[in-house]
Amino acid sequence: MAETTVEELPEECLSLVISLTSPGDARCSAAASSALRVAADSDLTWETFLPSDYRDIISRSVSPVEFSSKKDLFCRLSSAPLLIYGGKKTFSIDKYTNKKIYMLSARDLSIAWSSNSLYWSWKSLLGSRFPEVVELVMVCWLEIHGKISIGLLSPNTTYGAYLIIQVMDRAFGLDMVPSEVSIEIGANKVQKTLYLKSDECQRQGLKESRERENQAICPRGDGWLEVELGEFYNNGRGEEEEEVKMWFREIKGVHLKGGIVVEGIELRPK
């Protein structure tokens, strides 16, 4: 009986097998042979790497989404965030794990006193993915709260939530007392404290402690900084409307603080 090579298998079979792997494996398969390339680049393969609700997601884009194939669509969504929900959120896909990534804009957050121009200043900023960001002018009560339906996120995935900011040269009062960050889903809440600006701690001669083991402010590759608010696991078994609630607070100090620009909160797989 003659042996059958991989290349002789029906394209549908090859596509099915490749779809059970990962986007990276599919790209490698495409480079292996011409027969595998056809299957690896097929819509049947790349449809499985897209979220099941991708049609609904791209329908909410602020501008039309054009693509020539499902692979092309995946590449677009994994290379640049898609502005959705009237410019208040962005959506993208992790190119390695094909998990969902969402970012809530500053306009999509609840920020104490943000409607008062004496305390916060709304403006457009070159380099932001959103039409507007908000700059902290000066407050004594700093509280930023965001929420998202857990049903929008990828199931069986550990997510991290990150406050995306810029710290201006004029920044002041950010580290006189620690800030509180927390993640809450239903009755479960995880909270910790951190210091936002470690160089200010050093100027004030404050000692290191376990409480501030996470100075928590990290540079990103897009010109912004991020502060991790916490992490959580989405097991996919919760109610679709159940919410993930995220906070950044510094409300215990009575001193004034200012000089940060808030772009939003990002939720991405860890």
Side-chain angles (χ1 to χ4, degrees), residues 86-240:
K88 290 187 176 182
K89 289 183 177 70
T90 63
F91 171 81
S92 58
I93 298 175
D94 186 288
K95 64 181 178 180
Y96 300 108
T97 65
N98 52 293
K99 303 288 189 179
K100 296 177 178 180
I101 302 172
Y102 277 96
M103 186 166 175
L104 317 180
S105 70
R107 279 292 187 191
D108 209 25
L109 305 178
S110 176
I111 303 176
W113 310 107
S114 62
S115 60
N116 191 321
S117 60
L118 293 176
Y119 305 125
W120 292 88
S121 174
W122 291 94
K123 59 184 181 181
S124 59
L125 188 65
L126 186 66
S128 173
R129 67 190 71 191
F130 296 112
E132 283 185 301
V133 298
V134 65
E135 178 184 339
L136 173 58
V137 179
M138 182 172 57
V139 294
C140 61
W141 184 289
L142 176 56
E143 184 171 27
I144 301 170
H145 171 227
K147 60 183 179 180
I148 188 171
S149 170
I150 200 167
L152 292 177
L153 305 176
S154 297
N156 306 312
T157 303
T158 298
Y159 273 90
Y162 305 86
L163 179 67
I164 311 303
I165 63 171
Q166 288 183 356
V167 180
M168 305 180 69
D169 291 339
R170 70 171 189 86
F172 60 93
L174 299 175
D175 261 348
M176 295 184 70
V177 296
S179 299
E180 297 178 358
V181 296
S182 61
I183 298 284
E184 180 179 335
I185 304 176
N188 299 312
K189 183 175 182 179
V190 178
Q191 181 174 307
K192 64 179 180 180
T193 60
L194 54 84
Y195 283 83
L196 192 59
K197 232 183 140 200
S198 59
D199 57 343
E200 186 168 328
C201 286
Q202 294 168 1
R203 287 199 302 270
Q204 295 181 23
L206 299 177
K207 296 180 179 180
E208 295 291 332
S209 69
R210 291 186 63 83
E211 184 180 40
R212 67 175 71 187
E213 61 184 359
N214 292 323
Q215 293 285 344
I217 190 164
C218 299
R220 293 161 55 93
D222 56 5
W224 292 82
L225 305 170
E226 64 183 30
V227 178
E228 184 171 350
L229 305 179
E231 66 177 56
F232 61 93
Y233 181 71
N234 177 21
N235 59 22
R237 296 194 296 270
E239 297 293 333
E240 285 287 318

Side-chain angles (χ1 to χ4, degrees), residues 50 54-55 58 65-78 93:
L50 293 167
Y54 76 89
R55 292 182 179 84
I58 62 177
V65 180
E66 299 179 355
F67 54 95
S68 58
S69 65
K70 298 297 171 57
K71 180 181 179 180
D72 181 40
L73 176 60
F74 182 93
C75 292
R76 287 171 180 265
L77 294 177
S78 61
I93 298 175

